[in-house]
Amino acid sequence: MKAFDTQLFKRILFYTKPYQWRFKGVIFWAIGLSVFAALRPYLLKNTVDDYIKTNDSQGLMFYILLMGIVLILEVLSQFYFVYWANWLGQDIVRDIRIKLFDHMLRFKMKYYDHSPVGQLVTRSVSDIEAIARIFSQGLFMIISDLMKMVAVIFVMFYMNWKLSWIAILAMPILIYATRIFQLKMKSAFEEVRTQVANINTFVQERVTGMKVVQLFSREQIDYEKFKVINDKHNKAWIKTVWYNSIFFPIADLVTYFTLAFVVYFGGLSLIGGETTTTFGDLFTYTMLIGMLFNPLRQIADKFNEMQMGMIAANRVFAILDMQDQVQENGTVEAPHFEGKLSFQEVRFGYIEEEEVIKGINLEVNPGETIAIVGSTGAGKSTIINLLNRFYEIQSGSISIDGKDIKTFELKSLRKQIAVVLQDVFLFADTILNNITLDNPNITREDVIEAAQKIGVHEFIMTLPNDYDYNVKERGVMLSSGQRQLIAFLRAYVSNPSILILDEATSSIDTYSEELIQRATEKITKGRTSIVIAHRLATIVNADKIIVMDKGKIVEQGKHAELLLNEKGFYKNLYDSQFVTEH
């Protein structure tokens, strides 16, 4: 295993290009910090040898002031170095997060079918924060420490080359230990990031589905599962603690032995009367050895931060590199369609070798309301997904007003198709914002006027703060029927060419159903509409009813016509539902 991935590191550095002046500024302050840090011990040596030893109080005061000025400059360099490094890291994180979110917005629905929400949240939040630490706690800190070490070595050899060699000879031991430590920590941190993603995914799913957990009394089961996942997370972190517990005592041991040898041989030189070593040298070397070896220890620690950041970056880039997006080949902006739909020999499967739609041919005239019925898994909702290009068909063609939907710009195509789903998703925001979805072209007055037209205004006015009522996460403050009404209003104000109602009247109360039926009549008038229905009583007035079974169209016609076929699929569905409801 490589301790350091150079290609990945270069890719991360690419994001510093817009901030080159700041990048260079951080390096400048790092140089200043290393120079001033190494200068202090040298001034201390001169103070001891030239002024304290000779009892020169005036010279002593001058050097004390000089060391004070150097210390202030060192502190200022430290401040600007840390501030600019963190500033740069946060700006880079902002850019990567925006790019990642923009990339994720364009994925096919298939990607989200197979990707846990918690894992994606981990990638776009905590993993990206880990990338910031590459710059704030990793790269620049390592550069600063290396420069400090170079400056210290220069000062040491300038002062006393004999004592300096003792420290230099001890360094390979610490460097070798650091290298082993880096390799072990890289492996450990990869496991940590995996377990963090797993625990996030589990918690996200259980919090979202808490009602199901409690309804089916799964608290103890999920508690035990969480304990197992949390234990794996704990063990992954303990492994990193173990490696740290081994490395840092070894580093301390090397430092103390080196210091002991320097003091011993330096002391022997002084006792023997050699002039090459002074009391100032010996006094200063106790500082310089710490300044030489501590950065080496810190480099290992900062390298851990870099490893965490680079492992996180690798995971983020894996998503950025994934080309699972709907192909944007369309160049024509979709107009307000007349609404003629045509499906020609359309075939599709969520898994390539398992077709869900098997050679469908379907024609819908402008302004028609067609209903699609069939048993669960017949392929009804899949047709809607294909029309919106949430998934790409494997063969055949889908056209609107005689033009293949692939010729239209995806954004403009979807603007002309409004969908009301059975499971309405509302954001933790006001009713007004959930209806307009922050579209600046739709005003509050437009929403109120539309609500009055389809009979939803009175219901909204009964809520606290009416249109400014916050429905909270997923619209939990509203009933399922009320959420459906908001979804109908959302579709209506967008003024679509084509309207799709996917099981929009199932599982709601009678009062809401009456409101929705009136809203349906209003918003389907004059536009092509596709109604996917489970309750056949809601689609008896459709211009055409399409009956599907196992991915094929098995019957089509008006309600009365289909009932005449005593052995037909529709007749069987109708009779079985009629018996059930009565």
Side-chain angles (χ1 to χ4, degrees):
M1 181 187 294
K2 292 193 298 183
F4 192 79
D5 190 332
T6 308
Q7 291 302 117
L8 177 62
F9 184 64
K10 286 180 180 178
R11 186 170 181 181
I12 296 168
L13 284 184
F14 173 79
Y15 288 91
T16 66
K17 281 191 174 182
Y19 311 104
Q20 280 299 300
W21 66 272
R22 208 183 307 163
F23 186 91
K24 292 173 182 176
V26 176
I27 301 298
F28 170 80
W29 291 116
I31 294 171
L33 181 60
S34 61
V35 169
F36 295 129
L39 189 58
R40 274 192 303 110
Y42 181 72
L43 293 175
L44 182 61
K45 166 202 159 41
N46 289 345
T47 303
V48 171
D49 287 341
D50 299 339
Y51 302 107
I52 294 178
K53 193 175 179 182
T54 60
N55 299 318
D56 186 346
S57 58
Q58 188 174 358
L60 177 63
M61 179 59 67
F62 172 74
Y63 258 72
I64 292 296
L65 290 173
L66 188 60
M67 281 192 289
I69 292 170
V70 170
L71 180 61
I72 291 170
L73 291 174
E74 184 183 350
V75 169
L76 286 174
S77 297
Q78 177 81 15
F79 169 77
Y80 283 110
F81 169 72
V82 172
Y83 179 76
W84 282 29
N86 279 274
W87 182 17
L88 177 63
Q90 287 303 318
D91 278 354
I92 289 169
V93 158
R94 178 197 61 199
D95 295 346
I96 296 176
R97 184 177 280 126
I98 289 172
K99 186 175 181 179
L100 177 66
F101 187 70
D102 182 61
H103 192 71
M104 287 166 60
L105 285 174
R106 289 164 174 74
F107 277 141
K108 299 175 186 175
M109 287 298 108
K110 184 179 180 181
Y111 177 81
Y112 294 102
D113 292 342
H114 298 92
S115 300
V117 174
Q119 192 177 87
L120 294 177
V121 171
T122 301
R123 298 291 176 269
S124 53
V125 180
S126 60
D127 277 348
I128 287 186
E129 284 301 326
I131 296 174
R133 293 201 294 272
I134 291 176
F135 299 95
S136 61
Q137 301 295 325
L139 173 64
F140 293 124
M141 291 294 184
I142 290 173
I143 290 173
S144 174
D145 286 340
L146 286 173
M147 288 180 175
K148 198 177 293 183
M149 288 172 65
V150 170
V152 166
I153 290 171
F154 176 80
V155 170
M156 288 174 72
F157 272 93
Y158 181 76
M159 286 171 49
N160 190 313
W161 66 270
K162 289 182 178 179
L163 293 181
S164 298
W165 274 113
I166 296 173
I168 295 300
L169 290 172
M171 284 186 69
I173 300 171
L174 199 53
I175 291 171
Y176 178 75
T178 302
R179 174 68 176 174
I180 298 299
F181 179 63
Q182 289 168 353
L183 288 169
K184 295 294 184 182
M185 289 300 283
K186 184 174 190 289
S187 174
F189 281 140
E190 284 177 345
E191 178 64 18
V192 166
R193 296 315 303 174
T194 298
Q195 296 307 326
V196 167
N198 289 343
I199 204 168
N200 281 351
T201 299
F202 187 88
V203 172
Q204 171 95 19
E205 287 181 347
R206 268 51 185 189
V207 170
T208 305
M210 188 57 69
K211 185 180 288 186
V212 174
V213 172
Q214 294 184 355
L215 277 172
F216 289 89
S217 301
R218 288 184 55 88
E219 293 93 338
Q220 188 62 33
I221 295 172
D222 283 340
Y223 170 71
E224 294 299 334
K225 283 187 175 181
F226 181 76
K227 280 176 65 177
V228 172
I229 294 171
N230 195 43
D231 188 53
K232 289 181 180 178
H233 176 261
N234 174 259
K235 286 178 179 176
W237 272 111
I238 291 296
K239 193 180 288 185
T240 69
V241 173
W242 168 251
Y243 292 140
N244 276 292
S245 301
I246 294 173
F247 172 74
F248 288 107
I250 290 174
D252 284 339
L253 200 62
V254 173
T255 303
Y256 298 147
F257 269 110
T258 305
L259 182 60
F261 276 114
V262 167
V263 171
Y264 177 73
F265 285 108
L268 287 179
S269 297
L270 286 172
I271 293 169
E274 290 185 21
T275 57
T276 54
T277 302
T278 66
F279 280 105
D281 290 340
L282 205 57
F283 189 77
T284 305
Y285 263 74
T286 59
M287 289 180 60
L288 288 173
I289 288 172
M291 292 178 67
L292 179 63
F293 283 11
N294 282 340
L296 197 57
R297 284 184 46 179
Q298 290 171 6
I299 284 172
D301 197 30
K302 303 310 176 189
F303 195 86
N304 291 345
E305 295 289 347
M306 281 195 66
Q307 291 286 36
M308 286 286 280
M310 289 180 67
I311 289 166
N314 197 36
R315 295 175 187 274
V316 170
F317 290 150
I319 297 177
L320 286 172
D321 291 339
M322 192 168 292
Q323 299 302 315
D324 199 14
Q325 299 169 307
V326 177
Q327 294 302 308
E328 267 279 28
N329 299 324
T331 55
V332 179
E333 184 173 353
H336 194 80
F337 296 123
E338 291 181 14
K340 180 177 176 58
L341 304 179
S342 177
F343 289 71
Q344 298 292 328
E345 287 296 326
V346 174
R347 292 183 177 275
F348 169 76
Y350 295 102
I351 301 173
E352 195 166 337
E353 60 273 12
E354 297 179 15
E355 284 189 346
V356 176
I357 300 296
K358 303 172 182 177
I360 278 182
N361 291 288
L362 175 63
E363 299 288 335
V364 183
N365 295 320
E368 272 190 339
T369 295
I370 71 160
I372 304 178
V373 301
S375 57
T376 302
K380 305 185 297 295
S381 296
T382 301
I383 289 179
I384 308 312
N385 289 332
L386 297 179
L387 183 61
N388 277 283
R389 291 193 67 198
F390 288 138
Y391 300 88
E392 297 287 9
I393 60 176
Q394 288 158 1
S395 65
S397 67
I398 302 173
S399 62
I400 303 177
D401 292 347
K403 289 187 177 179
D404 194 305
I405 59 173
K406 291 181 180 179
T407 63
F408 298 115
E409 294 175 352
L410 191 60
K411 187 177 180 180
S412 64
L413 171 69
R414 289 177 178 169
K415 275 186 176 180
Q416 296 301 323
I417 304 172
V419 183
V420 180
L421 299 169
Q422 176 185 356
D423 183 17
V424 177
F425 188 94
L426 298 181
F427 296 96
D429 206 336
T430 64
I431 283 181
L432 180 66
N433 289 340
N434 269 291
I435 292 167
T436 64
L437 296 178
D438 296 320
N439 185 339
N441 298 321
I442 303 174
T443 65
R444 187 185 188 92
E445 291 70 29
D446 292 335
V447 173
I448 293 173
E449 183 183 349
Q452 289 170 337
K453 283 183 180 179
I454 68 172
V456 182
H457 179 70
E458 290 182 8
F459 139 64
I460 295 175
M461 294 306 291
T462 64
L463 298 171
N465 300 322
D466 49 79
Y467 287 88
D468 295 316
Y469 179 62
N470 192 311
V471 300
K472 305 301 180 184
E473 188 175 3
R474 300 181 70 89
V476 294
M477 303 304 291
L478 302 177
S479 69
S480 58
Q482 290 171 332
R483 290 197 294 271
Q484 287 286 4
L485 290 168
I486 298 302
F488 268 78
L489 187 51
R490 178 195 284 171
Y492 186 55
V493 296
S494 68
N495 190 29
S497 306
I498 299 165
L499 177 68
I500 298 167
L501 307 179
D502 189 355
E503 302 277 13
T505 58
S506 63
S507 304
I508 58 174
D509 57 87
T510 305
Y511 174 71
S512 296
E513 185 176 355
E514 289 173 1
L515 286 176
I516 288 173
Q517 286 293 353
R518 289 204 296 271
T520 301
E521 291 172 9
K522 191 74 179 177
I523 68 177
T524 57
K525 188 176 180 181
R527 58 168 56 92
T528 302
S529 303
I530 301 174
V531 181
I532 296 175
H534 174 69
R535 299 167 70 175
L536 303 186
T538 62
I539 49 94
V540 293
N541 295 321
D543 295 312
K544 187 190 298 180
I545 297 172
I546 308 297
V547 185
M548 293 190 65
D549 183 57
K550 297 178 182 178
K552 294 181 179 180
I553 295 175
V554 292
E555 289 179 335
Q556 56 182 303
K558 289 183 176 293
H559 172 70
E561 295 171 355
L562 293 172
L563 286 181
L564 293 176
N565 185 354
E566 291 292 336
K567 295 183 179 180
F569 278 84
Y570 185 78
K571 171 68 172 172
N572 183 52
L573 283 171
Y574 186 81
D575 287 347
S576 62
Q577 195 169 109
F578 182 81
V579 169
T580 302
E581 292 180 354
H582 291 77

